[in-house]
Amino acid sequence: MILLSPLAALGRAALGFLAMVGRLSIYFGQTVSHMVRPPFYGREFLVALGNIGWLSLPVVGLTAVFTGGALALQIYAGGSRFDVQAVVPQIVALGVVRELGPVMVGLMIAARVTSSIAAEIATMKVTEQIDALVTLSTHPMKYLTVPRVLAALITVPLLVGIGDILGIMGGYAVSVHSLGFNPGTYLKNTIEFIEPLDIVSSLAKGAAFGVIATLMGCYHGMNSGRGAQGVGRATKSSVEAAAVLTLAANFLLTGIFFTA
Amino acid sequence: MIKLEQVEKSFGSNAVLRGVDLEIPRGTSMVIIGGSGTGKSVLLKCVLGLVTPDSGRILVDGKEAAKADQDAFLARFGMLFQGAALFDSLPVWQNVSFRLLRGALKRPRAEAKEIAIEKLRRVGLTPDVAERLPAELSGGMQKRVGLARAIAADPEIIFFDEPTTGLDPIMAGVINDLIREIVTEMGATAMTITHDMSSVRAIADNVAMLHGGKIRWTGPVAQLDSSGDPYVQQFITGSPDGPIEAVR
Ligand SMILES: Nc1ncnc2c1ncn2[C@@H]1O[C@H](COP(=O)(O)OP(=O)(O)O)[C@@H](O)[C@H]1O
Ligand SMILES: [Mg+2]
């Protein structure tokens, strides 16, 4: 019995994970079905656009610039061992657009947006505001979830696009100012190297990560336990789930786009 | 008319409602009394469909509530929550006229605001409160904003969960009169939870006492003092000695 109990624990965890995936899929399906049926809450959508898109710009921009700069330094240092430091612009472009741009933005959105959505909705839940919405003939999913998910679907790809550009600019600044690259050649190499598929994959990842981040915030908020502890737990779970799912989805999407 | 038949509800091992039977005729005011934690709020939420009973039936005008079209069903209700449950991201007037700003009952913004200010006045709040956020108000003021929101769309059925808790005696009197007025003038059906015996006498046509998960006693308010039920007697006199344990 004692020998079997780790197995049982593993089984329980696996079953728990599958149940979770099932619940999330159902929640996602419900969100989509509410998205395509009226009423649509335009004001809430505009507020969400501002909160998720506009207000995330500073943190996304800074993250991208520093990541691009660090990447250029690393590739230069690593490349010089094989005497291929000239590939810095190409590798920075590839690394930022295909992987680091979307992933860093996705994780920053999980930190910034998922946590605040989860805490807000969980607080609404424990203070009976969700119940109040229902009694006022307003479906919480239409009023709270749909505007946020739609806003992220639209703005996070834009944020990723901006993050890609700023990441490349970070690499450019470091390369030109401290690694002695020629500005014109650097930009030319970057632009000639990036292909349309790179950009498409980057933006598609952004859309997927945006949906994951907002959906996790809403789902964990709506299913919050009672009291302050419930809110804390919901917030923590939402960020964990969003971060892990973002990285898992990134792996899947990279596989889909780049193994042909 | 609202009719509950053998409604039961447990949360895990905590059996809160153990077979509640209750009838509230149309256009009358029912007051539910009972110790704290006996399940009065849960009972209201069962009727509204916010909590699903484990068994039993709830009929509104002869139709089973669980099977009704939820939007149309809830459009007839107004509810004041025990903790007011105001939306803290919206200013007070948008809370009050929430229903009038969206959905089936949507009106122009200016008109919705006017109605909000009028309803705020009825619960004893001045128009300058309208632009404030709920977090800037005292508990008693939030309660009254919640009340204004509950009556904003002139519902046919109104539930009040402890409407006067946290109010001073004068304001409590104003709210009692308001609830009475809504029932007599607008012909609404009301169900009110309260611990305040002066409220009970001011608001109620009928009184029901919830104890041990069942309706212990129910009858017209005039018979409350002569109910002959030791539980009711202890509750209305507020005596620590009697069949209701002080430690629950
Ligand atoms: N959502 C819930 N989950 C678990 N237990 C609950 C829930 N809502 C109420 N309860 C429990 O039901 C009992 C009755 O609660 P309530 O109806 O709020 O009492 P009151 O009569 O004071 O309004 C309490 O023991 C409370 O802990
Ligand atoms: Mg209560």
Side-chain angles (χ1 to χ4, degrees), chain A residues 128-139:
Chain A
E128 299 183 316
Q129 292 178 52
I130 304 285
D131 283 345
L133 270 183
V134 174
T135 61
L136 293 165
S137 307
T138 303
H139 201 295

Side-chain angles (χ1 to χ4, degrees), chain A residues 135, chain B residues 1-4 7 17 20 22 24 32 40-53 57-60 63-66 68 70 73-74 77 79 157 159 191:
Chain A
T135 61
Chain B
M1 188 179 81
I2 304 172
K3 190 168 184 199
L4 290 91
V7 173
L17 305 179
V20 172
L22 193 62
I24 302 145
I32 315 269
K40 304 181 299 296
S41 297
V42 170
L43 188 66
L44 286 195
K45 288 183 186 175
C46 282
V47 180
L48 289 167
L50 298 172
V51 168
T52 314
R57 296 204 307 162
I58 297 171
L59 304 165
V60 176
K63 282 196 274 297
E64 215 165 324
Q70 213 194 15
F73 179 76
L74 287 170
F77 280 87
M79 165 85 182
I157 304 167
F159 292 171
M191 204 163 152

